[in-house]
Amino acid sequence: MSGSIIVGTDGSPAATAAVRWAADDAARRGCPLRFVSVVDHWAYGIPKFPVSGGDPLTSHAERALSAAEAVARERQPDVKISTEIIEGIPARVLRDKAREAVEIVLGSRGLGGFAGIVVGSVSTHVAGHAPCPVVVVRPGWSGGRGEIVVGVDDSPECEPALAYAFEQARAHGDALRAVHAWQLPAHPLAPEITYDVEEVREAHRRVSREKLADPRGRCPEVPVREEIVYGHPVDALVQASRGAGLLVVGSHGRGALGSAMLGSVSRGVLHHAECPVAVVRSPSSSRAGST
């Protein structure tokens, strides 16, 4: 497979977990790894107030890259590794680097994050704007196998997520669990409207089967378990993430700024899932959000 897996690292525990995940994925998929550490001088006012004795931020970035390379080489010694230090705003730099990548992997929260915030601004921004899949890993992840979980719905944005999920399941050698969550529409101005619940449930089963037909045909060796769940998609996917190896979601966000690009479901699972989460944007939405 051509292209690198790019990993943003700042030496934080979450970034170290991301390094482990990316090293394993690079070995599975035959991709090189590129570790990137971003130096943001302006965030600390350093250009305004030069310091003596060298640049502490660049020195920290060098240490973070050395540590990341050591972790990756110990875990997967045969993976090709390169490193890079870039000056700029981390979210923007990593978003732009994603254009060169088959995948970008980030920790859920870096050293600059606030206590109590599960997913930091950098990983949220990159997941909401990058044109390639973005995997967000929480601190403490150290490996272990588990099924690949993917959210299924009737939108076009679901299809790239399904393709990525099948690819990951094939690479992992694990089963795929396809979760389609549904709820009956609420009509507060016309509460007398009723539905045939079994008929609605069967309609959702058809949606799931139709969406899975094409990727199943391309990856017939991947075992698939379909799950039709009554409830909110975030609740269903978070429940399915327990014990999973990876949770994959598409992104329906169409906002112009920040996490609005993610959409409510992908944003919700990023904050609450118990396994690494991959956010996969469709090519059209990625182009729309690249400004």
Side-chain angles (χ1 to χ4, degrees):
M1 177 179 291
S2 61
S4 298
I5 294 174
I6 291 179
V7 188
T9 183
D10 61 359
S12 65
T16 301
V19 168
R20 295 189 189 103
W21 195 95
D24 289 352
D25 203 42
R28 283 189 295 263
R29 301 169 69 189
C31 295
L33 274 179
R34 187 162 187 81
F35 296 127
V36 175
S37 191
V38 182
V39 175
D40 185 1
H41 287 103
W42 287 101
Y44 297 91
I46 287 178
K48 298 178 184 178
F49 305 103
V51 295
S52 59
D55 179 359
L57 296 183
T58 299
S59 296
H60 173 80
E62 291 170 348
R63 291 193 298 273
L65 289 173
S66 295
E69 185 171 356
V71 168
R73 291 199 184 282
E74 180 180 5
R75 194 172 184 94
Q76 298 291 348
D78 296 330
V79 170
K80 183 179 178 182
I81 295 172
S82 60
T83 63
E84 184 176 10
I85 295 175
I86 304 175
E87 184 170 346
I89 299 172
R92 293 181 184 175
V93 168
L94 293 169
R95 177 195 69 191
D96 293 343
K97 290 295 291 183
R99 297 189 181 112
E100 309 169 11
V102 296
E103 167 183 282
I104 188 161
V105 185
L106 302 171
S108 58
R109 185 163 60 87
L111 291 172
F114 294 96
I117 296 179
V118 177
V119 181
S121 60
V122 172
S123 49
T124 301
H125 178 92
V126 177
H129 292 80
C132 68
V134 177
V135 180
V136 178
V137 186
R138 294 195 184 184
W141 186 90
S142 59
R145 294 182 59 173
E147 63 187 355
I148 308 301
V149 176
V150 61
V152 183
D153 61 26
D154 61 354
S155 71
E157 290 85 359
C158 172
E159 294 163 12
L162 285 174
Y164 177 84
F166 270 85
E167 177 187 334
Q168 283 289 341
R170 180 167 56 187
H172 279 76
D174 285 316
L176 183 73
R177 181 179 178 183
V179 178
H180 178 88
W182 64 282
Q183 293 175 301
L184 289 174
H187 299 282
L189 300 181
E192 69 277 6
I193 295 177
T194 60
Y195 297 90
D196 183 325
V197 174
E198 282 306 315
E199 184 176 326
V200 175
R201 183 180 287 113
E202 181 56 35
H204 284 283
R205 286 196 186 99
R206 286 196 298 271
V207 166
S208 180
R209 285 196 297 267
E210 289 168 3
K211 283 292 184 180
L212 290 167
D214 186 51
R216 262 180 159 163
R218 293 195 302 269
C219 301
E221 70 277 25
V222 174
V224 179
R225 177 157 64 100
E226 294 183 56
E227 192 170 301
I228 310 300
V229 180
Y230 183 78
H232 193 280
V234 172
D235 295 335
L237 292 169
V238 169
Q239 176 69 29
S241 75
R242 294 167 186 160
L246 179 69
L247 170 58
V248 182
V249 291
S251 180
H252 301 177
R254 294 174 177 82
L257 298 171
S259 63
M261 291 301 297
L262 278 174
S264 60
V265 172
S266 48
R267 188 167 59 249
V269 298
L270 273 177
H271 282 279
H272 299 292
E274 298 184 14
C275 68
V277 175
V279 178
V280 184
R281 296 176 58 75
S282 67
S284 60
S285 63
S286 297
R287 287 193 296 270
S290 63
T291 57

